[in-house]
């Protein structure tokens, strides 16, 4: 039995995919029958179980973090997905097409930007939620949290353990906004992940 979320909607997506594969407007379902049909579609197309989650309707933000050794967790400037006002709430999802097909209508309607004027209280809540979650998960390396604001609370909707680091990616844009050169970021990651080498004493 599939219980409906408080919003009346759930989102159904492949359990073992990343990068938005298998996610589109049809992933958002308003009743148990359509959710079950979508789960069966996931199985037929992607040969894996479906993950059924509460659909959180609200502004979407993201926060990138990385572990800088002695400096601890570094939180980069937050980003926001700006959805076209013409999109219905259930179409405000960032699936594969919106992420990777830059010429598509979905990509044009879901613009990612760094938020320079975010309300300080919201920014503080994003930081608190993400750093707490990263600590509980024992995070090392780098990651990005996707979050939505609903009912006055920040809710984590996805944890990206290996976000895109390519040119123009949200992570790279956040590094640039923080004034951190990409080469410096990589050097810190390598230094943290490389164990010290102990030389055996000479015979």
């Amino acid at each position: 039995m599939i219980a409906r979320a408080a919003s009346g909607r759930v989102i159904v997506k492949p359990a073992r995919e990343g990068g938005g594969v298998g996610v589109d407007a049809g992933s958002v379902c308003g009743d148990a029958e359509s959710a079950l049909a979508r789960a069966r579609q996931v199985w037929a197309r992607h040969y894996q179980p479906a993950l059924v989650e509460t659909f959180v309707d609200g502004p979407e933000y993201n926060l990138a973090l990385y572990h800088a050794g002695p400096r601890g967790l570094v939180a980069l400037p937050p980003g926001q997905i700006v959805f076209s006002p013409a999109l219905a709430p259930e179409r405000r999802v960032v699936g594969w097409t919106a992420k990777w097909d830059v010429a598509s209508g979905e990509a044009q309607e879901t613009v990612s930007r760094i938020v320079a004027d975010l309300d300080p209280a919201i920014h503080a809540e994003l930081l608190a939620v993400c750093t707490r979650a990263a600590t509980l998960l024992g995070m090392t390396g780098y990651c990005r949290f996707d979050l939505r604001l609903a009912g006055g609370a920040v809710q984590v909707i996805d944890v990206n353990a290996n976000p895109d680091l390519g040119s123009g990616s949200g992570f790279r844009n956040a590094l640039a906004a923080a004034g951190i050169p990409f080469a410096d970021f990589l050097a810190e990651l390598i230094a943290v992940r490389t164990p010290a080498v102990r030389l055996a004493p000479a015979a």
Side-chain angles (χ1 to χ4, degrees), residues 62-68 73-78 126-127 129-147 156 158-165 169-172 174-175 185 189:
N62 53 73
L63 192 72
L65 303 96
Y66 70 97
H67 205 287
L73 277 177
V74 175
L76 300 177
L126 293 177
L127 284 171
V129 168
C130 293
T131 53
R132 186 163 62 246
T135 301
L136 287 172
L137 293 171
M139 191 210 95
T140 59
Y142 61 97
C143 70
R144 191 192 73 238
F145 287 86
D146 295 339
L147 314 105
V156 176
D158 199 8
V159 182
N160 297 275
N162 186 26
D164 181 18
L165 295 180
S169 66
F171 203 106
R172 289 282 286 271
L175 283 170
F185 159 72
L189 279 188

Side-chain angles (χ1 to χ4, degrees), residues 26-163:
S27 300
V28 180
C29 303
D31 54 61
E33 291 75 19
S34 59
L36 183 57
R38 183 71 183 196
R40 287 171 173 158
Q41 187 180 90
V42 167
W43 183 267
R45 291 184 178 178
H46 302 283
Y47 307 102
Q48 60 189 273
L51 185 63
V52 182
E53 300 176 335
T54 298
F55 177 68
V56 181
D57 181 12
E60 183 167 333
Y61 300 97
N62 53 73
L63 192 72
L65 303 96
Y66 70 97
H67 205 287
R71 292 202 292 137
L73 277 177
V74 175
L76 300 177
Q80 182 178 13
I81 302 296
V82 182
F83 295 102
S84 167
L87 288 177
E90 63 272 12
R91 294 190 59 210
R92 294 175 186 175
V93 295
V94 187
W96 189 93
T97 302
K99 286 176 180 284
W100 309 111
D101 185 357
V102 295
S104 69
E106 289 91 337
Q108 301 302 315
E109 294 170 333
T110 55
V111 178
S112 177
R113 70 180 183 96
I114 298 298
V115 191
D117 54 352
L118 185 60
D119 182 299
I122 296 176
H123 191 180
E125 184 66 11
L126 293 177
L127 284 171
V129 168
C130 293
T131 53
R132 186 163 62 246
T135 301
L136 287 172
L137 293 171
M139 191 210 95
T140 59
Y142 61 97
C143 70
R144 191 192 73 238
F145 287 86
D146 295 339
L147 314 105
R148 287 198 175 190
L149 180 63
V154 171
Q155 300 184 44
V156 176
I157 60 172
D158 199 8
V159 182
N160 297 275
N162 186 26

